[in-house]
PDB file of all heavy atoms in Angstrom:
ATOM      1  N   GLN F 175      12.470   4.707  14.666  1.00  0.00           N
ATOM      2  CA  GLN F 175      12.760   3.279  14.815  1.00  0.00           C
ATOM      3  C   GLN F 175      14.195   3.024  15.305  1.00  0.00           C
ATOM      4  O   GLN F 175      14.597   1.876  15.470  1.00  0.00           O
ATOM      5  CB  GLN F 175      12.577   2.547  13.492  1.00  0.00           C
ATOM      6  CG  GLN F 175      11.213   2.791  12.827  1.00  0.00           C
ATOM      7  CD  GLN F 175      10.059   2.407  13.715  1.00  0.00           C
ATOM      8  OE1 GLN F 175       9.209   3.238  14.035  1.00  0.00           O
ATOM      9  NE2 GLN F 175      10.036   1.165  14.146  1.00  0.00           N
ATOM     10  N   GLY F 176      14.959   4.114  15.501  1.00  0.00           N
ATOM     11  CA  GLY F 176      16.320   3.975  15.992  1.00  0.00           C
ATOM     12  C   GLY F 176      17.352   3.718  14.930  1.00  0.00           C
ATOM     13  O   GLY F 176      18.507   3.416  15.229  1.00  0.00           O
ATOM     14  N   ASN F 177      16.976   3.890  13.659  1.00  0.00           N
ATOM     15  CA  ASN F 177      17.905   3.643  12.560  1.00  0.00           C
ATOM     16  C   ASN F 177      18.632   4.914  12.130  1.00  0.00           C
ATOM     17  O   ASN F 177      18.285   6.026  12.564  1.00  0.00           O
ATOM     18  CB  ASN F 177      17.148   3.038  11.368  1.00  0.00           C
ATOM     19  CG  ASN F 177      16.552   1.693  11.699  1.00  0.00           C
ATOM     20  OD1 ASN F 177      17.210   0.837  12.277  1.00  0.00           O
ATOM     21  ND2 ASN F 177      15.280   1.495  11.333  1.00  0.00           N
ATOM     22  N   LEU F 178      19.606   4.751  11.251  1.00  0.00           N
ATOM     23  CA  LEU F 178      20.374   5.856  10.690  1.00  0.00           C
ATOM     24  C   LEU F 178      19.781   6.272   9.348  1.00  0.00           C
ATOM     25  O   LEU F 178      19.055   5.508   8.698  1.00  0.00           O
ATOM     26  CB  LEU F 178      21.833   5.450  10.496  1.00  0.00           C
ATOM     27  CG  LEU F 178      22.594   4.982  11.745  1.00  0.00           C
ATOM     28  CD1 LEU F 178      23.935   4.382  11.352  1.00  0.00           C
ATOM     29  CD2 LEU F 178      22.789   6.149  12.703  1.00  0.00           C
ATOM     30  N   ILE F 179      20.127   7.481   8.915  1.00  0.00           N
ATOM     31  CA  ILE F 179      19.726   7.981   7.578  1.00  0.00           C
ATOM     32  C   ILE F 179      20.992   8.300   6.796  1.00  0.00           C
ATOM     33  O   ILE F 179      21.868   9.055   7.249  1.00  0.00           O
ATOM     34  CB  ILE F 179      18.857   9.226   7.680  1.00  0.00           C
ATOM     35  CG1 ILE F 179      17.524   8.938   8.336  1.00  0.00           C
ATOM     36  CG2 ILE F 179      18.650   9.826   6.285  1.00  0.00           C
ATOM     37  CD1 ILE F 179      16.489   8.298   7.437  1.00  0.00           C
ATOM     38  N   LEU F 180      21.100   7.717   5.610  1.00  0.00           N
ATOM     39  CA  LEU F 180      22.123   8.110   4.637  1.00  0.00           C
ATOM     40  C   LEU F 180      21.436   8.985   3.609  1.00  0.00           C
ATOM     41  O   LEU F 180      20.452   8.571   2.970  1.00  0.00           O
ATOM     42  CB  LEU F 180      22.742   6.889   3.967  1.00  0.00           C
ATOM     43  CG  LEU F 180      23.433   5.880   4.875  1.00  0.00           C
ATOM     44  CD1 LEU F 180      23.944   4.682   4.057  1.00  0.00           C
ATOM     45  CD2 LEU F 180      24.604   6.541   5.614  1.00  0.00           C
ATOM     46  N   ASP F 181      21.920  10.223   3.401  1.00  0.00           N
ATOM     47  CA  ASP F 181      21.382  11.085   2.371  1.00  0.00           C
ATOM     48  C   ASP F 181      22.252  10.942   1.128  1.00  0.00           C
ATOM     49  O   ASP F 181      23.435  11.303   1.116  1.00  0.00           O
ATOM     50  CB  ASP F 181      21.378  12.538   2.868  1.00  0.00           C
ATOM     51  CG  ASP F 181      20.291  12.768   3.915  1.00  0.00           C
ATOM     52  OD1 ASP F 181      19.122  12.437   3.638  1.00  0.00           O
ATOM     53  OD2 ASP F 181      20.623  13.243   5.013  1.00  0.00           O
ATOM     54  N   TRP F 182      21.646  10.389   0.101  1.00  0.00           N
ATOM     55  CA  TRP F 182      22.372  10.028  -1.132  1.00  0.00           C
ATOM     56  C   TRP F 182      22.076  11.068  -2.207  1.00  0.00           C
ATOM     57  O   TRP F 182      20.980  11.115  -2.747  1.00  0.00           O
ATOM     58  CB  TRP F 182      21.931   8.642  -1.576  1.00  0.00           C
ATOM     59  CG  TRP F 182      22.594   8.126  -2.816  1.00  0.00           C
ATOM     60  CD1 TRP F 182      23.815   8.487  -3.323  1.00  0.00           C
ATOM     61  CD2 TRP F 182      22.055   7.139  -3.712  1.00  0.00           C
ATOM     62  NE1 TRP F 182      24.083   7.775  -4.461  1.00  0.00           N
ATOM     63  CE2 TRP F 182      23.032   6.959  -4.731  1.00  0.00           C
ATOM     64  CE3 TRP F 182      20.878   6.418  -3.741  1.00  0.00           C
ATOM     65  CZ2 TRP F 182      22.815   6.059  -5.786  1.00  0.00           C
ATOM     66  CZ3 TRP F 182      20.678   5.529  -4.780  1.00  0.00           C
ATOM     67  CH2 TRP F 182      21.620   5.338  -5.782  1.00  0.00           C
ATOM     68  N   ALA F 183      23.062  11.907  -2.521  1.00  0.00           N
ATOM     69  CA  ALA F 183      22.965  12.864  -3.611  1.00  0.00           C
ATOM     70  C   ALA F 183      23.282  12.120  -4.906  1.00  0.00           C
ATOM     71  O   ALA F 183      24.432  12.120  -5.375  1.00  0.00           O
ATOM     72  CB  ALA F 183      23.914  14.031  -3.379  1.00  0.00           C
ATOM     73  N   CYS F 184      22.263  11.485  -5.450  1.00  0.00           N
ATOM     74  CA  CYS F 184      22.449  10.582  -6.588  1.00  0.00           C
ATOM     75  C   CYS F 184      22.261  11.256  -7.914  1.00  0.00           C
ATOM     76  O   CYS F 184      22.513  10.637  -8.971  1.00  0.00           O
ATOM     77  CB  CYS F 184      21.511   9.373  -6.468  1.00  0.00           C
ATOM     78  SG  CYS F 184      19.774   9.803  -6.350  1.00  0.00           S
ATOM     79  N   GLY F 185      21.768  12.487  -7.941  1.00  0.00           N
ATOM     80  CA  GLY F 185      21.495  13.154  -9.187  1.00  0.00           C
ATOM     81  C   GLY F 185      20.150  12.749  -9.743  1.00  0.00           C
ATOM     82  O   GLY F 185      19.416  11.953  -9.141  1.00  0.00           O
ATOM     83  N   PRO F 186      19.746  13.299 -10.897  1.00  0.00           N
ATOM     84  CA  PRO F 186      18.434  13.011 -11.488  1.00  0.00           C
ATOM     85  C   PRO F 186      18.211  11.500 -11.665  1.00  0.00           C
ATOM     86  O   PRO F 186      19.087  10.796 -12.176  1.00  0.00           O
ATOM     87  CB  PRO F 186      18.460  13.724 -12.805  1.00  0.00           C
ATOM     88  CG  PRO F 186      19.438  14.859 -12.591  1.00  0.00           C
ATOM     89  CD  PRO F 186      20.507  14.288 -11.704  1.00  0.00           C
ATOM     90  N   ILE F 187      17.055  11.038 -11.255  1.00  0.00           N
ATOM     91  CA  ILE F 187      16.713   9.629 -11.296  1.00  0.00           C
ATOM     92  C   ILE F 187      15.850   9.359 -12.525  1.00  0.00           C
ATOM     93  O   ILE F 187      14.724   9.827 -12.641  1.00  0.00           O
ATOM     94  CB  ILE F 187      15.960   9.204 -10.030  1.00  0.00           C
ATOM     95  CG1 ILE F 187      16.854   9.484  -8.796  1.00  0.00           C
ATOM     96  CG2 ILE F 187      15.535   7.743 -10.079  1.00  0.00           C
ATOM     97  CD1 ILE F 187      16.119   9.361  -7.462  1.00  0.00           C
ATOM     98  N   ALA F 188      16.386   8.606 -13.484  1.00  0.00           N
ATOM     99  CA  ALA F 188      15.694   8.362 -14.751  1.00  0.00           C
ATOM    100  C   ALA F 188      14.491   7.459 -14.562  1.00  0.00           C
ATOM    101  O   ALA F 188      13.461   7.630 -15.227  1.00  0.00           O
ATOM    102  CB  ALA F 188      16.661   7.762 -15.773  1.00  0.00           C
ATOM    103  N   ASP F 189      14.586   6.465 -13.686  1.00  0.00           N
ATOM    104  CA  ASP F 189      13.517   5.484 -13.494  1.00  0.00           C
ATOM    105  C   ASP F 189      13.310   5.258 -12.002  1.00  0.00           C
ATOM    106  O   ASP F 189      13.897   4.322 -11.413  1.00  0.00           O
ATOM    107  CB  ASP F 189      13.879   4.175 -14.207  1.00  0.00           C
ATOM    108  CG  ASP F 189      12.726   3.186 -14.263  1.00  0.00           C
ATOM    109  OD1 ASP F 189      11.789   3.315 -13.433  1.00  0.00           O
ATOM    110  OD2 ASP F 189      12.760   2.274 -15.123  1.00  0.00           O
ATOM    111  N   PRO F 190      12.488   6.068 -11.344  1.00  0.00           N
ATOM    112  CA  PRO F 190      12.300   5.922  -9.898  1.00  0.00           C
ATOM    113  C   PRO F 190      11.788   4.543  -9.492  1.00  0.00           C
ATOM    114  O   PRO F 190      12.215   4.032  -8.447  1.00  0.00           O
ATOM    115  CB  PRO F 190      11.264   7.020  -9.583  1.00  0.00           C
ATOM    116  CG  PRO F 190      11.449   8.046 -10.635  1.00  0.00           C
ATOM    117  CD  PRO F 190      11.784   7.267 -11.859  1.00  0.00           C
ATOM    118  N   ALA F 191      10.906   3.936 -10.264  1.00  0.00           N
ATOM    119  CA  ALA F 191      10.374   2.621  -9.900  1.00  0.00           C
ATOM    120  C   ALA F 191      11.473   1.571  -9.902  1.00  0.00           C
ATOM    121  O   ALA F 191      11.528   0.721  -8.996  1.00  0.00           O
ATOM    122  CB  ALA F 191       9.249   2.241 -10.869  1.00  0.00           C
ATOM    123  N   ALA F 192      12.352   1.610 -10.896  1.00  0.00           N
ATOM    124  CA  ALA F 192      13.446   0.621 -10.966  1.00  0.00           C
ATOM    125  C   ALA F 192      14.410   0.825  -9.819  1.00  0.00           C
ATOM    126  O   ALA F 192      14.866  -0.168  -9.190  1.00  0.00           O
ATOM    127  CB  ALA F 192      14.155   0.747 -12.306  1.00  0.00           C
ATOM    128  N   LEU F 193      14.746   2.073  -9.515  1.00  0.00           N
ATOM    129  CA  LEU F 193      15.670   2.321  -8.404  1.00  0.00           C
ATOM    130  C   LEU F 193      15.006   1.927  -7.081  1.00  0.00           C
ATOM    131  O   LEU F 193      15.692   1.358  -6.194  1.00  0.00           O
ATOM    132  CB  LEU F 193      16.070   3.793  -8.373  1.00  0.00           C
ATOM    133  CG  LEU F 193      17.029   4.185  -7.252  1.00  0.00           C
ATOM    134  CD1 LEU F 193      18.316   3.370  -7.288  1.00  0.00           C
ATOM    135  CD2 LEU F 193      17.328   5.684  -7.304  1.00  0.00           C
ATOM    136  N   SER F 194      13.733   2.170  -6.936  1.00  0.00           N
ATOM    137  CA  SER F 194      13.025   1.773  -5.732  1.00  0.00           C
ATOM    138  C   SER F 194      13.135   0.265  -5.489  1.00  0.00           C
ATOM    139  O   SER F 194      13.411  -0.197  -4.385  1.00  0.00           O
ATOM    140  CB  SER F 194      11.542   2.180  -5.860  1.00  0.00           C
ATOM    141  OG  SER F 194      10.805   1.717  -4.754  1.00  0.00           O
TER     142      SER F 194
END
Side-chain angles (χ1 to χ4, degrees):
Q175 308 303 121
N177 296 314
L178 301 170
I179 294 280
L180 300 177
D181 288 306
W182 180 26
C184 56
I187 300 169
D189 190 339
L193 180 57
S194 175

